[in-house]
Amino acid sequence: MRTALAVVLVAVTGCGATVASVPEAVSPVTVVNCGREVTFDRVPSRVVTNDTGITEMMFALGLRDHMAGYVVDEGNAVDLETSPWKADFEQSARLADKISAEVVQGANADLVFAGWNYGFSESTGFTPDALRGLGIGTYQLTEACRNGVGKQRGIMPALEALYTDLRNLGKIFRVENRAEELVSGYQRQVEEAGRLTAGKPRPKVFLYDSGQDQPFTSGKNAAPSDIIGRAGGDNIFGDLNDSWTTVSWETVVERSPDVVLIVDYADAQASTAARKQAFLEGFAPLANSPAVKGKRFFSLPYAALVEGPRNPAAVEAFARYLAGLG
């Protein structure tokens, strides 16, 4: 289908904004998303995004004008305050705290960009199949693609998932050059960060998201595992073939982490990273772990630790922290 839509890309760089024209789309584009070919016969113009990392991918590509709005949970206030794309968030419509069919229909969406457990869920009935039945297209976050084992998620390392999504979105929105510029820059940043800890001992790192009865953490397929590994550490749950998942405190204690990386967002039991650290420091079973004894805690915003354009900077920040441990 021919589209008469003219698109303008605003690419934000550290030196200011640059503007580039994007050609009118004249032919369908097909990308592979979560193992399936998906064809777009026009450039989406009313996209609804769910979650901060997903939304920031659109902003990084200069696609704010293609969005009907975004959905971000109220617990992610730190993300919005610390975002390199804070101005884009402020100039875009925040549609709701929780995504639903009613929200995206109310926004007259032609595409929903979300992921399994990043908005899509059988328990709520908000799924790609359900949206297809409403005539609304979907693009799924690659970090959260299901891998064929039950509801386990993850089909590639998280940074590779980021590059895959940026390139796919570049094709869908006809901004391939901008996508390649971002990917090349991120790859250089990650490579340079890795040099900070090259040849140094690799500390065992426990990613603590939330949970006091049982901790919620990162298996090998969620972004923190790749970030930790590229920064010079080893995720203590890097043997779990899953994305974000719940484990037992007994296993955390047994694996004796040297460092704890805390996800800074408000959950049901702790509203700040400092409160999460205080809980861990006061949690008796962990008292003899090297991380607690050495007070080795580091925190990053939620948006830096889910797939998104803050991931490369997260690698650099954590690598600098680990390099400073001696």
Side-chain angles (χ1 to χ4, degrees), residues 7 106 139:
V7 185
Y139 183 86

Side-chain angles (χ1 to χ4, degrees), residues 4-258:
L5 179 66
V7 185
V8 175
L9 164 66
V10 178
V12 179
T13 69
C15 299
T18 60
V19 179
S21 295
V22 178
E24 181 181 88
V26 294
S27 59
V29 167
T30 299
V31 299
V32 177
N33 181 216
C34 290
R36 298 178 60 183
E37 288 191 345
V38 184
T39 298
F40 295 83
D41 60 5
R42 61 185 176 84
V43 177
S45 61
R46 294 197 59 79
V47 182
V48 172
T49 56
N50 184 72
D51 214 33
T52 43
I54 288 170
T55 305
E56 288 178 347
M57 263 190 267
M58 294 289 289
F59 293 156
L61 286 164
L63 298 172
R64 188 186 73 215
D65 289 345
H66 289 267
M67 292 174 54
Y70 65 91
V71 175
V72 171
D73 187 270
E74 61 183 6
N76 294 102
V78 171
D79 282 353
L80 304 189
E81 287 301 313
T82 61
S83 178
W85 299 274
K86 184 177 180 181
D88 288 294
F89 277 112
E90 291 173 346
Q91 295 174 50
S92 302
R94 184 173 182 175
L95 302 174
D97 290 332
K98 302 294 182 184
I99 200 163
S100 66
E102 291 75 19
V103 168
V104 299
Q105 285 181 298
N108 194 27
D110 58 2
L111 181 71
V112 172
F113 182 11
W116 290 108
N117 288 32
Y118 292 87
F120 294 140
S121 170
E122 286 95 349
S123 65
T124 62
F126 190 78
T127 66
D129 285 344
L131 289 172
R132 189 178 303 114
L134 297 173
I136 301 172
T138 59
Y139 183 86
Q140 298 183 44
L141 184 74
T142 295
E143 181 199 33
C145 292
R146 287 180 172 167
N147 57 31
V149 181
K151 294 184 179 180
Q152 290 182 359
R153 295 171 293 155
I155 59 174
M156 64 181 72
L159 284 168
E160 192 60 38
L162 170 64
Y163 305 151
T164 296
D165 284 334
L166 288 171
R167 285 172 170 143
N168 279 348
L169 293 168
K171 291 178 182 178
I172 293 166
F173 290 92
R174 282 65 170 184
V175 291
E176 292 97 328
N177 289 343
R178 175 57 178 163
E180 286 301 328
E181 288 173 2
L182 288 176
V183 170
S184 296
Y186 292 155
Q187 289 173 330
R188 286 194 300 271
Q189 185 175 17
V190 170
E191 183 179 354
E192 290 169 4
R195 296 193 188 107
L196 296 171
T197 52
K200 295 178 180 289
R202 298 181 67 85
K204 296 182 294 180
V205 182
F206 168 48
L207 185 286
Y208 181 57
D209 175 279
S210 58
Q212 296 187 3
D213 294 331
Q214 287 184 295
F216 195 59
T217 188
S218 166
K220 74 175 185 179
N221 300 328
S225 196
D226 208 11
I227 290 168
I228 290 166
R230 299 299 188 98
D234 291 318
N235 175 15
I236 64 170
F237 290 105
D239 58 331
L240 297 182
N241 186 28
D242 203 351
S243 180
W244 297 88
T245 188
T246 299
V247 296
S248 69
W249 283 117
E250 290 78 8
T251 310
V252 176
V253 172
E254 179 184 309
R255 299 189 179 190
S256 190
D258 300 306

